[in-house]
Amino acid sequence: MIPPTVPPSVPPAATEHSVKVLNDLIEKTLDSALGYKDAAEESTNDSFKTLFATRARQRRQLTTALQAEVISLGGQPETDGTVLGAARRMFVNLKNAVTGSDQSVVAAVEAGEDDIKASFERALQGDLPMPAREVVATCYDSIKADHDQMSTLKHALERR
């Protein structure tokens, strides 16, 4: 396989920076996919289980798009989440085992959504070249919509 070439207009340092930013987003998105998978397993509500499982699949698709962009820049894409993400999921699983409520599962998911949304916003404020910026922006649109839905759901459950 012939490795992809980086457009001549993108300096090597900018490419390295872009690969790092994208790989950071890949790790966060993988953490999010695993978090949604865990939430689907922890939830007792069938509609939440379905919603969370669907989100896990969607996040894996976003990860694939980000990984493809890293490859197009000539980089090696991340394939694992972060240690912090694994620790957070373990804590959430322990907490949910104790409380056993869907409200706590939704609250944990919403907190994760706050984190990933902020990561994508920071990336978009940076100096990513096109088309990396376009890929990140497309992913962000999906993440923001998911965040907003989870926030609404969390607040609705709190009012019960």
Side-chain angles (χ1 to χ4, degrees), residues 58-79:
Q58 290 170 337
R59 293 294 162 92
R60 286 190 300 272
Q61 290 170 344
L62 295 179
T63 299
T64 300
L66 293 165
Q67 288 169 328
E69 187 57 30
V70 168
I71 291 168
S72 78
L73 290 170
Q76 180 66 37
E78 288 292 333
T79 57

